[in-house]
């Protein structure tokens, strides 16, 4: 199954330390011809300030974007309540979710929101800057038609 659009999320609290990793993940997706929709963190990395538009709050905008994608990818090395909330939204709407964490961490270092969730929609995988391309491609190759429920 071909994934066409991804909602990428990562905490903005540690953006200065995490941006290099975030950009590498986004570049890996673009190399696979997958579009990353304009999520909060992507806007921040592009120097844009997420603001309410079209009568929608920033949260409503993110929820609307999330409803339009085939997959959500989260860089979850640093905990974030906002990302946890959006992850809940993804699982509630049956959107597959790939959680990537830096491989210098142990699984137990991650948020209980991630490690304690047993949904079959969530896959948690370690990565580093050298392996992220193959980790993402490998995960995408495991998705079956029934795993993807939206087409854009």
């Amino acid at each position: 199954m071909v994934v066409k659009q991804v909602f990428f999320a990562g905490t903005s609290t540690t953006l200065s330390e995490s941006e290099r990793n975030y950009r590498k993940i986004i570049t890996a997706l673009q190399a696979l011809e997958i579009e990353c929709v304009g999520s909060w963190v992507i806007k921040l990395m592009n120097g844009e300030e997420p603001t309410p538009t079209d009568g929608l709050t920033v949260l409503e905008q993110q929820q609307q974007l999330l409803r339009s994608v085939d997959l959500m990818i989260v860089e979850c090395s640093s905990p974030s309540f906002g990302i946890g909330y959006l992850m809940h939204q993804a699982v509630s709407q049956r959107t597959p979710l790939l959680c990537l964490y830096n491989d210098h961490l142990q699984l137990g270092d991650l948020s209980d929101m991630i490690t304690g969730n047993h949904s079959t929609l969530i896959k948690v995988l370690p990565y580093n800057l050298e392996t992220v391309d193959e980790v993402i491609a490998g995960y995408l190759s495991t998705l079956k038609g029934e795993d993807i429920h939206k087409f854009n």
Side-chain angles (χ1 to χ4, degrees):
M1 177 49 75
V2 176
V3 173
K4 296 180 181 179
Q5 289 188 319
V6 166
F7 183 100
F8 172 74
T11 183
S12 58
T13 306
T14 61
L15 186 58
S16 59
E17 299 93 41
S18 304
E19 185 169 358
R20 181 174 177 214
N21 291 23
Y22 293 177
R23 288 196 184 279
K24 180 65 176 166
I25 292 167
I26 292 165
T27 300
L29 291 165
Q30 291 169 337
L32 295 168
E33 298 183 1
I34 298 172
E35 176 189 2
C36 290
V37 299
S39 68
W40 170 278
V41 74
I42 289 174
K43 285 182 180 281
L44 289 174
M45 287 190 306
N46 291 336
E48 302 172 42
E49 187 62 37
T51 56
T53 57
D54 299 327
L56 299 175
T57 67
V58 173
L59 177 60
E60 289 168 334
Q61 291 170 18
Q62 298 305 290
Q63 290 172 321
Q64 187 175 59
L65 283 172
L66 188 54
R67 283 190 295 272
S68 73
V69 300
D70 305 306
L71 172 70
M72 180 178 188
I73 294 182
V74 174
E75 204 299 350
C76 62
S77 297
S78 297
S80 165
F81 286 118
I83 291 172
Y85 176 80
L86 289 171
M87 287 175 59
H88 170 74
Q89 294 295 310
V91 170
S92 294
Q93 63 194 35
R94 310 258 333 126
T95 299
L97 179 56
L98 173 60
C99 297
L100 298 172
Y101 67 95
N102 201 305
D103 68 2
H104 73 273
L105 298 172
Q106 299 296 315
L107 196 57
D109 295 331
L110 303 180
S111 166
D112 290 341
M113 185 77 153
I114 293 166
T115 59
N117 194 318
H118 301 293
S119 170
T120 58
L121 293 168
I122 298 175
K123 182 72 173 176
V124 182
L125 297 173
Y127 80 99
N128 62 50
L129 293 176
E130 289 75 38
T131 64
V132 69
D133 298 272
E134 72 182 59
V135 169
I136 291 172
Y139 168 76
L140 292 174
S141 72
T142 68
L143 292 178
K144 298 173 183 61
E146 62 271 13
D147 293 331
I148 304 296
H149 69 284
K150 296 179 181 147
F151 300 91
N152 297 309

